[in-house]
Amino acid sequence: MRTRTHRCGELRKQHVGQSVTVCGWVDVKRDRGGVVFILLRDVSGKVQLTFSDERDRALVEQTRDARHEYVVSATGKVALRDDANRTDKLTTGEVEIIVEHFEVLNTAVTPAIEVRDDLKCDPELRLKHRFIDLRRRPMQAMLQARAALIAAARRVLDAESFIEIETPILYKRTPEGARDFIVPSRAHQGQFYALPQSPQLFKQLCMIAGLDRYYQIARCFRDEDKRADRQPEFTQIDIEMSFPTRDDVMELFEKVVVGIFEGLQSDPRLRDQDWPVLKAGKLQTPFERMDYETAMRDYSIDRPDLRSRELRLTDLSGWAKGCSFNAFKGAAEKGGLVKGLRCPGMAEAFSTGQLKNLERDAKGMGATGLANLKVTAAGLEGGIAKFIPEAEQKAMIAAFNAQPGDLLLICAHEKEKIVHAVMHNMRIMVADKLGLNDPNTMAIAWVINFPLFEYREEDQKLFASHHPFTLPQDVAGVANMARASRAGNAGSPMARMLDGGVKLDDILALRNNQYDLVCNGVEIAGGSIRMHRTDWQADVFELIGITKEEAEKKFGFLMSALAHGAPPHGGIASGVDRLLMLLLGLDNIADVIAFPKSATGRDLMIDTPNEVEPALLKELAIETRPPVK
């Protein structure tokens, strides 16, 4: 084998006359009787090899056995193609190699899937033969984009005096919202490590250690139910810094995002792709900021898709309390929510059957129904219009700022979460139908001022909205509530606080120092300013029902570290896979990971998870049982 001098996709007009050696895979072979063309492919692109009887018949004979996906080497001189044979479909379309030496380096069986850009086949077949799937240009371009994304983030963070620190993979179980993967210890039988859901606690320990600015391209593991945007193992850009304000962290991460966009947009390897990020243009900073309450009021979700920002929801709860339609009035009087969507000019856009399907979808999300009303010059038309007097109709139309020809979709329920879920989905559906969500537009915004706690009414339990290490905006208020809880005798913190005169509305009005970055309805990063004092941390633990003993068992090392002079600190993390999926306009996270798991969590290529030898289980003191059917 001769030494390779160039990659296939690198050759251009300026190389004409040079003797080169290229290596790669046979993409296409065409035999024109006395003239043979081979399109040779490697990770950089493709180049045409040309053989002819006129120049070297023996060399043409050498190509007879070359097949699709054979690995070959070719040496020859770069020449300009004839005008009639030039193509702009290849970056090397103006040149070819007149081959003088040809060698088959390895043969190949017929691949189980085709190596073609527009491949359409069973996704599981692609996963089983991933090493073939990754030969395709879209997959290789994706991996090049992934590498460029991470390199761009590193450039920004290195320039901002951050240092990259690796944190442990063998970790311990912590309550972070998902199930852990656990790893048995041979040396400590009956005890287990856990794989980290995130490096959250370790990055805080780095700040306590005085390292000031940390980042990591971190592997994370969560045993979650499968969805298109989830994988059991994934990668985060993880960042933490000491002595920051909320604005410091947000402004820093804006630089990271801008750097990523510029890195992908300027990468010459990616110019042949048709991705949204390459069409989005230059990002403008600072990014828009939106209050959590505004997001929920206008869009019924804390990660709104602002490409269709003018398609806002309308809160009708105040109107409903005095209306004549009992379904609306009853929900409002019970403290629930009545919310509607004005669909501009869409009064005739849905058939009766389609409107019934929308109502069925709403009921599937827990709603009792979904009202639809058409706006006319005379008022409202629709199944419930007869229950709404003319004056109330006019007030409703005014609340929506509706015009004749509009369609109104309305949901009412005593549980706000149900109404939000229904109306968010209706809004996205209508936006798509109106063509408002341009796939090549990147609508980026920060969402801030989140609730500190979420409340579960069934058992009167509070949960940290973000995570329990997030700094409250009102630490004094939290301290007062924690004192009321500690002084009470009831069974739960919530009951003790209520007995002590604390109002539920005041608890739910507390806000934290969380900030999420959203783009086109997808959360692409999230973080917070952390708790750096043990008394503040203990107060939050008290309110969410983590006892002193439980806190010591689960977070004793953190509480000890905080007591040793922890600085104020905060950070942010971004899921590399989800961010890349968004930037490339893909809809499945598996398409941006080199070797992903299937929808059931299996690696179909190497066939895992799998059983292990009984002797190893015995050594680990583990006994298995047949799976429950």
Side-chain angles (χ1 to χ4, degrees), residues 567-578:
H569 56 284
I572 192 168
S574 176
V576 169
D577 318 284
R578 185 179 295 178

Side-chain angles (χ1 to χ4, degrees), residues 186-207:
R186 179 192 58 79
H188 305 279
Q189 289 189 352
Q191 296 183 321
F192 298 84
Y193 300 102
L195 302 182
Q197 294 185 32
S198 77
Q200 177 63 46
L201 297 182
F202 277 107
K203 66 184 180 184
Q204 290 190 252
L205 293 173
C206 286
M207 298 302 99

Side-chain angles (χ1 to χ4, degrees), residues 168-173 179-196 221 616-617 620 622:
I169 292 297
L170 294 177
Y171 198 47
K172 73 179 293 183
R173 292 193 65 203
R179 290 183 294 272
D180 294 299
F181 288 101
I182 60 172
V183 181
S185 169
R186 179 192 58 79
H188 305 279
Q189 289 189 352
Q191 296 183 321
F192 298 84
Y193 300 102
L195 302 182
F221 307 85
L616 178 57
L617 293 177
L620 294 169
I622 292 176

Side-chain angles (χ1 to χ4, degrees), residues 490-522:
S492 71
M494 176 60 75
R496 295 194 293 269
M497 283 189 285
L498 295 176
D499 289 348
V502 179
K503 296 179 180 179
L504 176 60
D505 286 346
D506 291 339
I507 299 171
L508 299 183
L510 292 168
R511 292 293 179 260
N512 65 21
N513 275 284
Q514 175 188 352
Y515 30 84
D516 284 357
L517 188 62
V518 299
C519 180
N520 296 1
V522 177

Side-chain angles (χ1 to χ4, degrees), residues 306-459:
L306 297 179
R307 291 175 296 177
S308 51
R309 65 168 57 247
E310 298 308 318
L311 197 64
R312 292 185 174 92
L313 300 169
T314 299
D315 189 338
L316 297 170
S317 301
W319 169 89
K321 287 179 181 177
C323 81
S324 303
F325 185 52
N326 288 333
F328 291 171
K329 185 175 183 177
E333 288 179 340
K334 292 177 181 177
L337 183 61
V338 182
K339 208 163 190 180
L341 174 66
R342 170 184 168 252
C343 309
M346 298 185 73
E348 305 301 329
F350 296 92
S351 67
T352 301
Q354 288 173 324
L355 290 171
K356 286 183 178 179
N357 288 340
L358 293 182
E359 184 174 18
R360 182 199 61 200
D361 293 342
K363 288 180 177 179
M365 287 179 263
T368 54
L370 179 73
N372 65 85
L373 294 163
K374 296 177 182 180
V375 182
T376 70
L380 297 175
E381 287 184 1
I384 67 167
K386 60 187 176 184
F387 301 111
I388 305 175
E390 182 180 352
E392 293 176 15
Q393 289 189 16
K394 288 181 178 179
M396 178 193 282
I397 292 170
F400 277 108
N401 194 24
Q403 304 296 323
D406 292 347
L407 174 70
L408 308 180
L409 300 176
I410 306 169
C411 182
H413 201 280
E414 59 190 79
K415 292 185 178 179
E416 288 190 4
K417 283 187 175 181
I418 289 176
V419 176
H420 285 314
V422 170
M423 296 315 299
H424 162 67
N425 279 278
M426 294 301 147
R427 180 181 170 274
I428 294 300
M429 179 272 299
V430 170
D432 287 339
K433 199 171 181 69
L434 290 172
L436 300 177
N437 292 337
D438 180 356
N440 297 319
T441 296
M442 296 288 169
I444 300 180
W446 291 103
V447 179
I448 56 176
N449 298 327
F450 284 81
L452 180 63
F453 297 120
E454 293 180 3
Y455 176 57
R456 190 168 66 197
E457 190 174 358
E458 305 90 84
D459 53 3

Side-chain angles (χ1 to χ4, degrees), residues 558-613:
L558 176 63
M559 298 298 279
S560 174
L562 292 176
H564 282 77
H569 56 284
I572 192 168
S574 176
V576 169
D577 318 284
R578 185 179 295 178
L579 174 58
L580 188 62
M581 181 178 71
L582 175 76
L583 297 181
L584 305 193
L586 302 173
D587 56 11
N588 193 316
I589 204 168
D591 288 333
V592 296
I593 298 174
F595 299 102
K597 305 295 187 289
S598 72
T600 60
R602 297 194 65 84
D603 188 316
L604 300 176
M605 185 178 66
I606 62 174
D607 191 25
T608 188
N610 58 326
E611 296 177 350
V612 299
E613 301 84 353

Side-chain angles (χ1 to χ4, degrees), residues 63-75:
T63 69
R64 300 296 184 201
D65 293 332
R67 299 280 189 272
H68 185 51
E69 297 308 308
Y70 275 30
V71 185
V72 304
S73 169
T75 300

